[in-house]
Amino acid sequence: MADDKAYADAPHRTGFTITCARGAVLKRAKAVLLVPLVAAFAAFLVLTLMPERYTASALIQIGPRQMPAAADDPDALPAPATFEAERKSIEKEIAALQSASLMERVIAELKLDDDPEFKKQPLSAVILSPFTKTDSQAIAREVFRSGLAVQRLHNSSLIAVRYSSPDAAKAQQIANTIASIYVAGENPALAASDATKLSQSEPTASERAFSAMLAEYGYARTLSRAQVIQKAQMPSEPAGAKKLRVTAITAISSLAIMLALAVLLERNALLRTRKVEKTLACPHMTTLPAMTSDGDEDATASARSARLIVAEPACPYADAVRDACSELAKRTDGESTRVILVASALPGEGAESFASNMAHHLAVAGEKTLLVDCDFRSKGLTRQLSPHATAGLLDQIANHAPVEKVILRDSLTGVHFLPASGPAPVSLAVPAALRSLGFTASFQSLKARFSTIVLAAPPLLDTTDARALAELADQIVFLTAWHRTPHAVAKKALAVLDAHQHKVAGAVLTDISDESDSSLMSFGAIFREIRRATRLVSFDRAA
């Protein structure tokens, strides 16, 4: 709670958001700029390949026989029942205008079943083709239905019939034919009878609204039956989406999404410290940039990663190693010799390389440092630093020989290295060796000779070796690949230490980008960042 309050009260928090957002966008500038350009180009290309469509519209006034009876009091507002009756009657006529029978009459009159446009199925019909009829008439009806739109205008009895087609003249002809066939389908005798009744009653609210619509369109006449108020005109311009407008909207939307994504990814990285301390219940010491896993490197690259603080002293990884050593120095209790155990939850999280770089840095800083490869099964550090070693710690313990005789020294940094074992099989089992008196006596002898001993331990969840080594340690550094290892697994690994958990000096997060690194990220790095952030969210929910 105190840490959370201190974080919330940090003096730099006010200006932090703007600075962080700017840095987030600059680091991911490649994706932020290129993704909107690609999206806009794709939208423009799709719109260019799509055929242009023209829409023609005819306006129809439905006849008196379709409308409900007038209210007793024409000056009063219609009751809800009257409105509902009007709505249902309008919907009934709209359904008639979209009915299959009317479509077939229009198709037959204009001979559209012979038109190439009406022989090609729409995409929706192709998808549903296993469940629908595919004869020529059914295909023509589907094409016809895909271009037809019937809509009531406002709350009046006016209905707009719109038809869309790649051919402007065809769209006009079809819209007018639909309107004329619908109007001609009424019974003239019945229409005349209804017109007589209508002339003897006051107009309804819908009819008054229609009169206003007529005035808007320049008409001033009384209709006795359904009529075409306005014939469809040939459209002069395509009615589809404007290419430049859609392209611009796509580019702007993609840019906004990428800007938000960049800020969210940066925010996720900057909240990492608080997540670590809350999840693992130990301080966050430092973060390490993503590196190739120890077991996947070739011999040259592997040896270089184990001595990266010497090969590239100005790189972010070297800075993180120095920060961790400084944090450990602050937590020392003043003893003349300290034993630092470096362990991780799972293999491939970078514990071996980090332990080696720590030992090299301490040796360069003037401390008499010994690096010990305690992973007697995989012997990763032994293969990296001394692949030709004939014997190591485990051999000496099994043979009851002094371990000092197999210690190697790096002439460049001055660090001393104790390999795990030689290439020959060792008869003594690893658990028995770790619990033997010879092992304890050897470490007492080593502590008398070196001021700092760094132990590269095997993964905590693979064996019980790390638990035995924790008894010898004064400080424990725990490494975890924060975006790759489930948080529940990391917590379980720390629980393996049992009574030695108080020795954990802090957690080091590996396989992530350094917060202070403002260099331009590659597309691959951005993609991995998104993938890891997604996996992290899933791990948090699972936990």
Side-chain angles (χ1 to χ4, degrees):
M1 294 295 293
D3 293 339
D4 291 342
K5 186 177 186 301
Y7 182 88
D9 297 337
H12 60 276
R13 178 154 187 167
T14 303
F16 172 79
T17 303
I18 298 176
T19 304
C20 172
R22 183 171 62 249
V25 173
L26 291 178
K27 285 199 296 185
R28 301 165 182 86
K30 289 184 179 180
V32 169
L33 296 177
L34 188 61
V35 169
L37 290 177
V38 172
F41 176 77
F44 183 82
L45 184 63
V46 170
L47 292 175
T48 302
L49 296 177
M50 290 178 60
E52 294 181 336
R53 300 187 67 86
Y54 297 83
T55 301
S57 178
L59 195 63
I60 299 175
Q61 157 68 19
I62 66 172
R65 72 180 179 86
Q66 287 94 356
M67 297 299 296
D72 296 335
D73 184 5
D75 296 327
L77 291 176
T82 305
F83 277 124
E84 183 66 16
E86 290 182 3
R87 183 185 64 79
K88 289 183 177 180
S89 64
I90 296 293
E91 289 179 353
K92 182 179 180 181
E93 299 308 313
I94 290 176
L97 283 164
Q98 295 175 316
S99 64
S101 59
L102 190 144
M103 290 184 190
E104 291 174 354
R105 291 179 60 186
V106 175
I107 292 172
E109 181 170 330
L110 299 179
K111 299 180 179 180
L112 296 178
D113 49 357
D114 296 330
D115 192 317
E117 179 185 345
F118 288 80
K119 294 183 178 181
K120 184 178 181 181
Q121 285 183 289
L123 179 60
S124 58
V126 173
I127 296 175
L128 298 175
S129 57
F131 313 101
T132 58
K133 297 180 179 180
T134 56
D135 57 274
S136 58
Q137 292 184 351
I139 294 175
R141 286 196 301 270
E142 287 298 328
V143 175
F144 193 97
R145 184 178 289 107
S146 65
L148 178 63
V150 181
Q151 182 182 11
R152 181 185 184 184
L153 295 183
H154 305 289
N155 291 323
S156 69
S157 56
L158 293 175
I159 299 178
V161 178
R162 300 184 177 91
Y163 194 84
S164 178
S165 171
D167 188 337
K170 189 185 299 182
Q172 177 195 17
Q173 185 183 27
I174 293 176
N176 286 329
T177 303
I178 294 172
S180 62
I181 290 179
Y182 168 78
V183 171
E186 290 190 353
N187 189 323
L190 181 60
S193 174
D194 289 340
T196 302
K197 295 179 181 178
L198 181 65
S199 62
Q200 298 174 354
S201 62
E202 294 295 332
T204 65
S206 176
E207 291 166 342
R208 290 196 297 268
F210 166 65
S211 301
M213 291 290 295
L214 285 180
E216 180 180 346
Y217 281 91
Y219 294 91
R221 56 184 177 180
T222 304
L223 300 178
S224 59
R225 53 170 294 177
Q227 293 190 18
V228 178
I229 301 301
Q230 183 176 1
K231 291 186 176 181
Q233 304 296 321
M234 182 181 297
S236 58
E237 295 183 356
K242 305 299 181 182
K243 295 181 182 178
L244 294 179
R245 179 182 302 175
V246 173
T247 301
I249 292 175
T250 302
I252 294 174
S253 301
S254 302
L255 180 61
I257 292 173
M258 293 307 300
L259 290 173
L261 181 62
V263 172
L264 288 175
L265 289 174
E266 189 73 6
R267 179 180 178 273
N268 178 71
L270 295 176
L271 292 177
R272 189 181 304 127
T273 299
R274 299 176 69 186
K275 290 181 180 178
V276 172
E277 297 179 352
K278 180 180 179 181
T279 304
L280 302 181
C282 67
H284 169 225
M285 296 180 66
T286 186
T287 59
L288 299 177
M291 293 180 63
T292 307
S293 300
D294 295 333
D296 297 334
E297 303 177 5
D298 55 41
T300 303
S302 179
R304 186 175 183 274
S305 65
R307 304 170 75 252
L308 194 61
I309 196 165
V310 179
E312 293 185 31
C315 70
Y317 190 96
D319 291 337
V321 171
R322 285 189 285 267
D323 291 342
C325 292
S326 299
E327 291 296 322
L328 288 174
K330 295 176 183 177
R331 292 172 170 83
T332 55
D333 53 5
E335 293 186 1
S336 57
T337 302
R338 57 175 176 161
V339 178
I340 304 172
L341 178 69
V342 181
S344 62
L346 301 173
E349 294 189 293
E352 296 172 347
S353 296
F354 188 74
S356 176
N357 280 276
M358 280 185 59
H360 281 85
H361 169 68
L362 294 173
V364 171
E367 296 187 30
K368 192 172 183 180
T369 306
L370 173 65
L371 173 64
V372 185
D373 184 5
C374 293
D375 191 350
F376 301 109
R377 292 173 172 83
S378 65
K379 300 187 288 187
L381 272 182
T382 302
R383 292 196 308 270
Q384 293 176 16
L385 299 179
S386 59
H388 304 294
T390 58
L393 175 59
L394 192 59
D395 301 281
Q396 301 301 96
I397 298 298
N399 297 327
H400 303 284
V403 297
E404 290 82 1
K405 291 185 178 181
V406 294
I407 294 178
L408 307 175
R409 183 178 183 275
D410 188 333
S411 59
L412 178 61
T413 62
V415 69
H416 294 75
F417 177 61
L418 180 55
S421 66
V426 180
S427 59
L428 183 62
V430 174
L434 293 175
R435 300 292 181 182
S436 65
L437 294 177
F439 186 82
T440 305
S442 297
F443 260 87
Q444 292 298 328
S445 174
L446 293 175
K447 291 179 68 175
R449 294 187 55 184
F450 297 96
S451 59
T452 303
I453 300 176
V454 180
L455 308 180
L460 291 167
L461 296 179
D462 279 5
T463 65
T464 59
D465 299 354
R467 184 185 306 177
L469 293 170
E471 297 179 1
L472 303 173
D474 301 309
Q475 294 176 312
I476 300 175
V477 178
F478 178 70
L479 276 79
T480 179
W482 193 244
H483 291 319
R484 182 156 42 91
T485 303
H487 297 176
V489 173
K491 293 172 64 176
K492 182 180 178 181
L494 284 175
V496 169
L497 297 174
D498 292 335
H500 304 291
Q501 292 189 35
H502 67 281
K503 297 180 181 179
V504 178
V508 175
L509 306 188
T510 67
D511 205 23
I512 55 180
S513 298
D514 185 72
E515 297 175 2
S516 61
D517 184 11
S518 60
S519 59
L520 198 63
M521 297 176 65
S522 64
F523 289 108
I526 297 172
F527 175 76
R528 288 192 298 271
E529 185 182 30
I530 296 173
R531 183 178 61 183
R532 289 166 182 163
T534 305
R535 293 182 63 184
L536 180 61
V537 172
S538 65
F539 288 149
D540 286 339
R541 290 178 178 176

